[in-house]
Amino acid sequence: MSTLILKRLGKIWLALILFFLYAPILVMAFMSFNDSQYYQLPFEFSLRWYQDLAGNSEIIAAATRSVLIALITTIIATTLGTAASVALFRFEFKGKRILQVLLFPPIAIPWLITGTAMLIFFFGIGLGRGTPSVIIGHVALALPYVIVVVTARLATFDATLEEAARSLGANSWTVTRRVTLPWITPGIIAGALFAFAVSFDQFVVSYFLSEPGDSTLPVLIYTAIRKGFTPEINAISTIIITISMAVMLIAARFSNFGGER
Amino acid sequence: MAEVAVENVTKRFGTLKALDNVTIDFPDGGFFGLLGPSGSGKTTLLRTIAGFIFTDDGTIRIGSKSVEQIPVEKREIGMMFQNYALFPNMSVADNVGFGLRVRKVSLAEERRRVGEALELVQLGQHSNRKPHQLSGGQRQRVALARAIVTNPRVLLLDEPLSALDKSLRVDMQIELKRIQREIGITTIFVTHDQEEALTLSDKIGILRAGRMVQAGPPREVYNNPTDVFTASFLGEANILEGAVDGNSLRLTDGDAIPIPKGLKTGATFAVRPENISITTEEPTERDTPKIQARLKQRVFAGAMATCILDRNGSTFKVISRDRDLPQLPEGGPVWLSWEPEHTITIPN
Amino acid sequence: MSNMLVKQDRLRIFGLLSPAYLWLTVAIFLPLSAMFYFSFLSEVPFGDAEWNFTTDNYRAFFETPTYAILLWKSIKLGLMVTLTSVLIGFPCAYVLAKTIQGRSREALFLLVILPFWSNSLVRIFSWAIVLRGNGVLDRTLNAILPFELDINLMFSTPAIVIGLVHSYLPYVILTAYLALQAIDDSLIDAARSMGAGKITILRRIILPLSLPGLLAGAVLIFVPVVGSFMEPRILGGRVGTYYGTVIEDQFVAVFNWPLGAALSFILLAVVLVILALASPILRKAQT
């Protein structure tokens, strides 16, 4: 029957899309374990590119910097973002709608524009390029994501639970600590993981804001790619993509991203 | 318009038999209710008649034509859905005209027939509104107009009134019946509301676990249930069990009540709560069935009152007009009695 | 409601919101204003440089056809990537939302969305490995096909399109999936019961109802693609000069920041116009 054929075709289409999405990444990962420098086949398993990485102090320094920046970004963005979410969710006040709309520019404006604008401004106020500028930029990009994710979690909160706690004699602080916070914790964790991913994977803004020779991992990779491909880039790229996918998988478990839980 | 006949229909979902050898016929022009608890297969049966689901076994005829192999879009049915399923992107007129457009009816003809259908459901003036601008009752009317505008051979309604609140529901029951009578279309509906089924139907079918337990005119099924399930599902029933001893039933605790003559042993008996009277004195008539019980609770509900009574561990329920009840001592012994013809015999 | 707020609540709201919004002001809104100011300067106003206010930078855009041509080229690239993504993403979203049931749907959906949240630079790089001459695609196809075929997609417009579609496809799948999932299955049942075939149902029910979601996805793809520079650089080589790469050059190679600022601002204006046009639809998609 035609319905069955259509369904079969649909599933094949989905499989093709998944192939399209994952094949290049898998090829890259595969090649990072190939001994040949020029991606020659037959494939010969080797860890030499990973060993080379371990000895490359520039890459290690950039990787450490990236992780550090991502951690600091995560802490700041999650704290500020959670506080803002609670206010936006809990209270009705004038201008709330505008504040919510103001969350969109960091997401919707191309990073090229935001990045160059930050570069100009930070030079204008004398801060210049460097890790502090990168962190300021990353936090701004991560904040809207944290606020959106935490607010979504808050929206599932049953307000009568707070009323129930209050009717049982709990004061406002106890209610927040014992009832509200435990409920939104998964949202906060998911928001934090999103913030980490936004910062750790961020290239454009870092590119304009980091000091040459003091750059983050993606910026270093970009510079290296433009000089020519080496299996070493494959190896570090494989590591990066594994980390960021793992972070997102965990985030997906904590938010109800991708279905009701 | 046509007669619908379901014969020996079976449908499995995996290992579950959703319909198990179901047979029932729906004569032309009648209004039929399918009733059963959730999971009984009533919706599956309706969707099988509609053609969303194909049978594993058995035949379905609409008119003289066998339709098991015909998909829903070719079956010429009209269907109304529980949530009405009005297309939110279309106006009322476009919703109602959808089936006509599909059939490539001319625009003038479409406009005329949509107008007629909307008149029939008394919504003529709202044809340009979008569904979200209508009240629940109005949406229901649009859904009905949409289901009948193509002159289908049978009208299928899936829990048609369950989304309405109680007062509106009663109005719509009357309205639905009026429209059905006016166009004379064979109508089958699914409901879990027994009162609705009894009010609307010319004939009801009661399903349980995929089987058609009993089918017939509402009064007949209500008064002569063929098993304990039907007796207690359709209305409420106080079940009496014991052994038949001549012309009386000897209850398990030793008391005897008179029963109709000529019954075999092994039958179960039931009495509807509304048929029982409560008195503080023992009724004197000789052949009146009567038993003694203790009043546990009397629940006042406006005109009516419900009494919950206990008799040696088994619970009895009595419903009567509140003002017909005497002053009753809570916890005190009372007599329950009823007319002999109100003893319902359930053949095992 | 708002006039009933007590003073304590006002303080609380202010305390909770001000850190986040102060941060956004310093890192987003002040920089955008600074860039606007900068775009009217003749020179970078640092050190001893002489500078004055001028509209030369904007005039350059209108007088030198190169910029307008490149902006148009970027917009065309945006349209191409958006259209391709919508065409291949919509059926995929449909299969996920309406054909696949139960737990495997959740897992597959996550699998489709996952690459989107991984490093885009690395994913573009992975395409560079696959597409280059004598690369994996070339050798695989030559191993399968009986005749010699020289495919060198690397450093071409198709390579850029492939890379960008790969980057942004999950966006449209996500928004279309959410829109399709919101369509009650009983609407489809109802259309069928009235005799509608598959094409009628697609054309008159599913497409109109998922249109807001599809358009939201299209805007979310189009906007960043118009401003892309890293993807054309890596995958486009010499043909990879676009409006975005010119802006990049002004900041990292030519150091003509005022011109870069003006070009960025023109791009921002284009983006804002598109967002403004789409906002009624986007708002509809949200609800």
Side-chain angles (χ1 to χ4, degrees), chain A residues 171-203:
Chain A
N171 64 26
S172 153
W173 166 239
T174 313
V175 170
T176 307
R177 195 169 49 88
R178 298 278 304 275
V179 181
T180 320
L181 272 181
W183 178 263
I184 63 170
T185 301
I188 296 175
I189 294 173
L193 291 164
F194 270 89
F196 186 90
V198 167
S199 168
F200 187 70
D201 293 333
Q202 179 51 239
F203 160 70

Side-chain angles (χ1 to χ4, degrees), chain C residues 33-53:
Chain C
S33 323
M35 192 167 72
F36 188 58
Y37 172 76
F38 238 73
S39 65
F40 289 101
L41 301 184
S42 59
E43 287 290 330
V44 180
F46 305 141
D48 310 325
E50 290 272 323
W51 59 272
N52 55 291
F53 286 104

Side-chain angles (χ1 to χ4, degrees), chain C residues 51-85:
Chain C
W51 59 272
N52 55 291
F53 286 104
T54 174
T55 53
D56 282 356
N57 300 313
Y58 287 96
R59 207 174 297 150
F61 176 85
F62 292 104
E63 282 170 4
T64 322
T66 327
Y67 299 125
I69 290 170
L70 285 175
L71 181 57
W72 178 234
K73 191 182 168 193
S74 285
I75 290 175
K76 274 194 297 187
L77 180 71
L79 290 175
M80 181 123 89
V81 171
T82 307
L83 197 68
T84 314
S85 304

Side-chain angles (χ1 to χ4, degrees), chain B residues 47 52 72-73 77 81 83 85-90 101-103 146, chain C residues 184 186-187 189-197 200 204-205 208-209:
Chain B
R47 292 178 68 84
F52 290 111
V72 54
E73 50 270 31
I77 52 126
F81 295 80
N83 60 359
L86 297 181
F87 305 128
N89 53 323
M90 297 180 199
R101 192 83 53 98
V102 168
R103 287 168 176 73
R146 191 178 70 171
Chain C
D184 194 330
S186 70
L187 292 184
D189 284 353
R192 291 185 64 195
S193 76
M194 283 175 267
T200 310
R204 295 203 54 202
I205 316 283
L209 288 176

